[in-house]
Amino acid sequence: MVTATQSFPLLAVPFFIFAGNLMNSTGITDRLINFARLLTGWLAGGLGQVSIALSLMMGGISGSAVADASMEARLLGPSMIEKGGYSKAATAAVLAFGSIITATIPPSIGLILFGFINEVSIGRLFLAGIVPGILLTLTLMVTAWIVARKNGYAPDLATPADLVPALGRFPGKCLGACLSGHPDRGLPVRLFHPRPRHGAFLVFYALFVGFFVYRELSFAKLYEATKGTVADLGMVMLLIMMAAVLGYAVTIERGPQQIAELVTTLTSEPIAILILVLLLLLVSGMFLEGAANILLVTPIVLPVLVQAGYNPVHMGILIVTLINIGGLTPPVGVIMFTVCGILKVKTGEFSKASVPYFAALLVFLALLVAFPALSLFLPGQLM
């Protein structure tokens, strides 16, 4: 258990969690909401489009789908119901499905855990998540637009005319990781590499902006952000420690080899193996929280996929996204219950309103499987 915590790359996790909590207390999140509203509020669907654009931006801050869904349900949910014409179920659906964008956009906590537990380059995973994250955002926005046109949801803004001057006033969002030189490879910058010093820089950035730029961060808010970070980190590290114990036992019992033998006896076709593994992960995602699923299940199934000829970085993006989709389904969908609990929505109503978004996610996953270059292009070019 102790050995599992003695990892230098894991220092990135507390810094990124702390930075996300700080940014929620410094006014940065509120300004991102206003910016997202100017970018997309004039589209059909109004605040629903705003929530999806905000999830893309929050992916560079919080790295947690549950945290993003919880925050947006509290901040945007009431306005979507009262002003946007959305029903409670429709509001919960668009907020919950938009939150899974954070699973792919750096600095995704899920990608950090996946890379750590499976010994896959976290830098490559972060780069691999950028294009799929943008593609997922566009897919959900198109779906929200179709649903809005069908149900008559009005735009939040009458015109995008205010966008240009607003861009000039917006101070710029921190991307969730700073840029650093990479002289040995001849590259001017290295994007989204989750080194602990980058997380530390992000924390100091949030503190500086909160205290001296926006002046909205008080010592009381700093205490609450620190307290929340300790609680979040305690949960994550306990999962990591216990996953290490289970992983040790599974290795001794030849679990991965037995799973591989079982799958290969059923079929030898790589695409059939991939479908079987993805179905297994989707089912496990219905019962396990995302981080636990990544730490407990992926070390067993990833060797099977690699043996079938799949790239572990590409599989990392696909698996982490799919595991978060499991959080949207009964009986133990963490994201679903979080949003439904805040907005007081019955899970049956949520499931009915979610059908168009599930269809959109199936299209997205099919594109990701059919075109591995969507996730492998940037790592291939920059690393």
Side-chain angles (χ1 to χ4, degrees), residues 86-98:
Y86 283 80
S87 65
K88 285 188 176 182
T91 300
V94 70
L95 292 176
F97 279 80

Side-chain angles (χ1 to χ4, degrees), residues 260-274 276 304 307-310:
E261 290 168 5
L262 174 63
V263 171
T264 51
T265 54
L266 295 175
T267 179
S268 59
E269 290 293 325
I271 188 64
I273 292 174
L274 177 61
L276 286 173
V304 178
Q307 185 178 342
Y310 291 102

Side-chain angles (χ1 to χ4, degrees), residues 97-298:
F97 279 80
S99 71
I100 65 172
I101 297 170
T102 59
T104 61
I105 297 294
S108 165
I109 302 299
L111 292 180
I112 293 176
L113 295 178
F114 179 89
F116 167 74
I117 203 72
N118 292 292
E119 298 182 355
V120 179
S121 168
I122 301 176
R124 288 181 181 273
L125 286 169
F126 273 16
L127 285 170
I130 296 173
V131 174
I134 295 172
L135 177 62
L136 178 56
T137 303
L138 295 174
T139 303
L140 291 175
M141 287 182 71
V142 170
T143 306
W145 181 83
I146 294 172
V147 172
R149 292 296 296 269
K150 180 180 178 182
N151 295 296
Y153 300 146
D156 184 47
L157 297 176
T159 171
D162 291 333
L163 176 59
V164 175
L167 286 172
R169 294 193 304 269
F170 192 73
K173 119 181 161 61
C174 185
L175 294 173
C178 68
L179 309 180
S180 68
H182 200 337
D184 350 342
R185 299 176 190 259
L187 297 176
V189 294
R190 193 177 198 186
L191 298 171
F192 304 117
H193 197 284
R195 291 178 179 175
R197 68 169 179 263
H198 297 171
F201 172 86
L202 187 56
V203 168
F204 280 104
Y205 171 88
L207 289 171
F208 179 80
V209 169
F211 278 122
F212 301 109
V213 180
Y214 298 150
R215 299 182 181 180
E216 294 184 18
L217 182 62
S218 63
F219 285 104
K221 289 183 177 179
L222 177 60
Y223 171 76
E224 289 300 320
T226 306
K227 183 179 176 181
T229 300
V230 171
D232 293 341
L233 184 62
M235 176 188 67
V236 171
M237 293 308 297
L238 184 61
L239 283 170
I240 290 173
M241 289 189 293
M242 301 313 297
V245 176
L246 179 61
Y248 183 74
V250 166
T251 303
I252 290 176
E253 296 297 328
R254 298 183 71 255
Q257 292 87 340
Q258 292 184 34
I259 294 287
E261 290 168 5
L262 174 63
V263 171
T264 51
T265 54
L266 295 175
T267 179
S268 59
E269 290 293 325
I271 188 64
I273 292 174
L274 177 61
I275 292 172
L276 286 173
V277 170
L278 293 183
L279 287 174
L280 171 65
L281 288 167
L282 182 61
V283 172
S284 66
M286 296 178 184
F287 296 93
L288 290 175
E289 192 271 334
N293 208 350
I294 290 170
L295 292 168
L296 299 178
V297 181
T298 60

